[in-house]
């Protein structure tokens, strides 16, 4: 499986009076990591648009194990789980210093043909091409 990591510092403006990150900001941390993940194989959101596809998130799940705190350095690991019919990315957020797992989740995206405004029932060839260039032959 293809995996990338992104390090994030939890900023003051993301926390409450107890210095705990508000649960909604976790979505932002996943998005930051997902953007770096997609860019790592040259198929970020601008490249998606230029190839004629949008990739909206249609499902997301987050399991909060332990809270994130102001000033904490965390690592978001993204792992590609599915790519043939949809893009499923698993996430693990862990403490950078200790490696302790703090949060896990996933997102699912589907390709939308922007000319037809229709959902694709399999991933476009451009995604597979970009992944193969970066990762080599894909399993399955």
């Amino acid at each position: 499986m293809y995996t990338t990591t992104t390090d994030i510092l939890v900023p003051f403006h993301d926390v409450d009076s107890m210095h705990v990150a508000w649960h909604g900001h976790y979505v932002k941390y996943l998005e930051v990591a997902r953007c770096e993940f997609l860019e790592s194989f040259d198929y970020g959101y601008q490249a998606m648009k230029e190839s004629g596809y949008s990739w909206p998130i249609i499902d997301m799940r987050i399991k909060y194990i332990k809270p994130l705190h102001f000033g904490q350095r965390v690592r978001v690991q993204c792992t590609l789980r599915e790519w043939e019919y949809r893009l499923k990315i698993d996430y693990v957020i862990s403490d950078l210093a200790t490696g302790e797992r703090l949060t896990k989740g996933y997102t699912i995206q589907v390709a939308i043909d922007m000319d037809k405004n229709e959902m694709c029932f399999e991933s476009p060839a451009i995604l597979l091409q970009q992944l193969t260039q970066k990762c080599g032959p894909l399993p399955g």
Side-chain angles (χ1 to χ4, degrees), residues 60-79:
M60 177 186 318
R61 179 159 303 173
I62 300 174
K63 181 174 182 178
Y64 303 96
I65 300 168
K66 289 193 170 186
L68 306 183
H69 295 92
F70 167 62
Q72 185 174 23
R73 294 189 180 279
V74 297
R75 175 161 286 161
V76 183
Q77 178 179 300
C78 297
T79 303

Side-chain angles (χ1 to χ4, degrees), residues 22-67:
W22 175 62
H23 69 277
H25 288 300
Y26 289 60
V27 175
K28 175 175 57 179
Y29 306 148
L30 300 186
E31 177 69 21
V32 168
R34 184 172 50 257
C35 284
E36 286 191 18
F37 174 82
L38 295 169
E39 288 292 341
S40 75
F41 58 89
D42 300 322
Y43 199 57
Y45 289 113
Q46 187 61 37
M48 289 176 176
K49 182 179 176 183
E50 290 169 3
S51 72
Y53 298 95
S54 64
W55 288 80
I57 298 220
I58 61 164
D59 191 9
M60 177 186 318
R61 179 159 303 173
I62 300 174
K63 181 174 182 178
Y64 303 96
I65 300 168
K66 289 193 170 186

Side-chain angles (χ1 to χ4, degrees), residues 104-116:
K104 65 181 185 175
Y106 67 80
T107 56
I108 296 175
Q109 296 169 258
V110 295
I112 303 292
D113 183 315
M114 292 170 51
D115 288 335
K116 298 176 185 175

Side-chain angles (χ1 to χ4, degrees), residues 17 23 128:
S17 61
H23 69 277
L128 305 177

Side-chain angles (χ1 to χ4, degrees), residues 71-88:
Q72 185 174 23
R73 294 189 180 279
V74 297
R75 175 161 286 161
V76 183
Q77 178 179 300
C78 297
T79 303
L80 182 63
R81 291 291 177 212
E82 298 177 25
W83 58 86
E84 293 172 311
Y85 304 102
R86 61 189 190 168
L87 197 58
K88 182 177 183 188

